[in-house]
Amino acid sequence: MAPRRTRTTARDRSRRVLSQNFLTDPAAVARFVRAARPDPDGLLLEVGAGRGQLTRPLAARCRRLVAYEVDPAVTADLAAVCAALPRVDHRPVDFLTVAPPEEPFAVVGNIPWSLTAAVVRWCLAAPGLRSATLLTQLEYARKRSGDYGRWTRLTVSTWPEFSWRLAGRVPRTAFRPVPRVDAGILRLERRPEPLLPTVALPAYRRMVELGFGGVGGSLAASLRAAHPRPRVDAALRAVRLDPATPVGAVWPEQWLVLFRLLHARRG
């Protein structure tokens, strides 16, 4: 007899998206709170607050905290925790649907890993964001922070405005239920001043898109599609880059120098 196939229901899909691995180890909680460095006079948004394991210590270190948790399976527990914390607002709504505050703020959270990319995009698009400290899969945090010695398109394209850093690791055994992989503490910070003039940022991002686009099979070939070959070759020599260097191995700092050299006005 052929094995019986079970149909995935809407509720199954919902739980897969909403469910979290709750951080229960006190040492790991303390490590995350230290990495978040809450501003005692600032506004903090907690994403995926769960049952409040991080809410209590975070609330003690900021002026005001807004705790978001949309999962109805845990929102009652979180509401009870927040009711005892006068500086905390409980919001049982989807964080990704809310408009960013107009005042400066920071984001923290042990987020559902299936929503990591969406939460990061929300943070990058929020004008008032000062920092985001997120518990993600370790592989994601390492890739975005260049910890593998390679850099992603998203990290490079946002580097003039944001720094990306792996701020710590959390073993899988610190969570309940225990996930299959360890976690990383990803720290994203807006720079006080961009590393390029604001008016130059769109052109810089276009250059990064071109470079990662794979035109011609190498970074050098991609850049030559938009700039004269002698100028590209001279810029690569200036930053000590072999023309055959894989695009992911180019440091963000080298991208910045390449941009300045390729887009500098001729005398």
Side-chain angles (χ1 to χ4, degrees):
M1 180 181 295
R4 182 180 179 182
R5 298 182 63 182
T6 58
R7 183 179 179 181
T8 301
T9 66
R11 185 177 184 276
D12 294 333
R13 292 190 294 270
S14 177
R15 292 299 302 152
R16 186 179 302 169
V17 171
L18 296 177
S19 62
Q20 291 174 258
N21 302 296
F22 300 111
L23 190 62
T24 57
D25 179 71
V29 169
R31 190 183 317 144
F32 179 83
V33 173
R34 287 196 301 271
R37 304 202 305 269
D39 179 357
D41 298 319
L43 170 62
L44 199 58
L45 309 186
E46 184 185 1
V47 190
R51 294 188 172 92
Q53 291 92 341
L54 291 170
T55 307
R56 292 185 186 91
L58 289 170
R61 292 165 173 80
C62 65
R63 172 179 58 83
R64 179 178 169 230
L65 186 147
V66 182
Y68 291 91
E69 179 54 68
V70 72
D71 190 346
V74 299
T75 191
D77 293 338
L78 178 63
V81 170
C82 295
L85 301 171
R87 290 183 289 183
V88 175
D89 292 334
H90 173 220
R91 304 272 178 89
V93 298
D94 184 356
F95 170 79
L96 295 173
T97 66
V98 303
E102 295 185 1
E103 65 180 289
F105 66 95
V107 169
V108 297
N110 174 24
I111 58 178
W113 289 350
S114 61
L115 298 178
T116 299
V119 172
V120 168
R121 284 196 301 269
W122 189 100
C123 291
L124 292 172
L129 180 86
R130 292 297 172 262
S131 69
T133 309
L134 305 172
L135 267 174
T136 72
Q137 286 186 339
L138 179 58
E139 181 183 10
Y140 182 93
R142 294 190 67 187
K143 285 173 63 176
R144 291 297 186 220
S145 62
D147 195 55
Y148 286 120
R150 297 180 64 86
W151 300 88
T152 68
R153 182 190 316 224
L154 180 63
T155 304
V156 173
S157 65
T158 58
W159 193 259
E161 297 175 276
F162 294 92
S163 66
W164 299 72
R165 183 168 61 89
L166 177 63
R169 304 184 183 197
V170 178
R172 56 192 290 270
T173 53
F175 297 88
R176 293 294 182 276
V178 179
R180 295 181 179 180
V181 296
D182 292 341
I185 303 175
L186 180 64
R187 175 78 176 177
L188 178 63
E189 292 185 65
R190 185 184 295 276
R191 303 185 190 280
E193 294 291 336
L195 300 178
L196 291 172
T198 302
V199 295
L201 293 176
Y204 170 81
R205 287 192 285 266
R206 287 195 296 270
M207 188 189 80
V208 173
E209 289 296 317
L210 176 66
F212 275 89
V215 178
S218 69
L219 174 61
S222 297
L223 295 178
R224 288 170 188 152
H227 303 279
R229 182 186 184 105
R231 196 167 189 180
V232 171
D233 293 347
L236 293 173
R237 287 194 300 271
V239 295
R240 306 293 195 270
L241 272 179
D242 187 302
T245 301
V247 65
V250 181
W251 304 339
E253 294 82 3
Q254 291 174 312
W255 279 99
L256 291 171
V257 177
L258 284 173
F259 176 79
R260 294 186 181 108
L261 292 173
L262 293 175
H263 290 260
R265 297 192 177 208
R266 296 177 182 271

